[in-house]
Amino acid sequence: MKTLVVTGGIATGKSTAIRLLMEMGAPHLRLFDCDAEAGRLLDSGLLKDALIRAFGPGSVDGAGRADRHFLRELVFRNPESRKILEGLIHPLLHQECLAQMQAARQNAAVNGFVIDVPLFFETSARYHQDAVCVVAVSRETQKARLALRNGFREDMIEAILAAQHPIMGKVAKADFVIWNEGPPSLLQQQTQRFHQHFFHD
């Protein structure tokens, strides 16, 4: 079973590329989505006490779920707060990912395990991966997409991008790159070629 980390930057189209990849590889690929798993963890209430100790009672709601808006505003403007939150979440995510990977290895029908890790290069966690693929766009395209898609203000956009390594630095470290500028058909063609090359050649 081959293991692939897919990463990129916010608004690069990483999620779309992964969706295409999983559709092409069905039913022989498995996916671990770090963002989705982190969301489940934050909504589970398991981190309630730790969040309150770290960030105060405003960080959770009445049911003990994380207040996503509160945390987003906090961590993108304060690097130290971001490190604290990552320190609470990432070890649990890493443990769960490795457990799911091990389970997939026991299934003879599975030939690939894809790990969606938005902040792969920003953290020290590694997943015994065979390769890292970066989905990339220019910084200008990132900013335009964030403004259009999320409605973020300019200062929030700059804070979000400053919290991540520059996309071209990630490109330089990648084993493979999917460049997501241009029409959707171009992304599909690149993803299809990559799927064939990595999982079947």
Side-chain angles (χ1 to χ4, degrees), residues 23-167:
E23 289 172 358
M24 293 167 189
H28 305 295
L29 295 182
R30 294 291 181 271
L31 173 66
F32 186 86
D33 183 334
C34 285
D35 270 355
E37 294 292 335
R40 278 192 278 275
L41 183 61
L42 289 168
D43 289 341
S44 70
L46 293 173
L47 293 176
K48 175 185 175 182
D49 292 341
L51 288 171
I52 290 174
R53 282 195 302 271
F55 306 115
S59 61
V60 298
D61 64 16
R65 295 183 298 260
D67 184 320
R68 307 275 189 95
H69 178 75
F70 176 95
L71 291 174
R72 183 172 59 243
E73 290 282 335
L74 183 70
V75 302
F76 281 127
R77 297 182 188 282
N78 187 328
E80 287 306 313
S81 294
R82 185 175 70 249
K83 289 178 184 177
I84 292 170
L85 183 62
E86 290 171 353
L88 296 175
I89 295 175
H90 288 173
L92 298 176
L93 286 182
H94 190 250
Q95 184 178 22
E96 177 62 22
C97 180
L98 294 181
Q100 290 190 28
M101 190 188 307
Q102 185 59 33
R105 290 189 190 281
Q106 310 308 312
N107 187 339
V110 176
N111 68 5
F113 194 87
V114 178
I115 312 167
D116 179 349
V117 193
L119 299 177
F120 177 75
F121 291 115
E122 287 84 352
T123 67
S124 59
R126 294 299 177 260
Y127 300 86
H128 312 297
Q129 69 275 356
D130 296 293
V132 177
C133 178
V134 168
V135 181
V137 296
S138 68
R139 182 181 175 88
E140 290 72 23
T141 296
Q142 280 183 291
K143 292 175 69 172
R145 288 179 180 174
L146 281 170
L148 183 65
R149 183 186 73 185
N150 300 87
F152 288 150
R153 304 182 310 273
E154 177 73 16
D155 62 333
M156 176 57 80
I157 290 172
E158 290 295 341
I160 290 170
L161 293 179
Q164 302 183 354
H165 289 343
I167 195 69

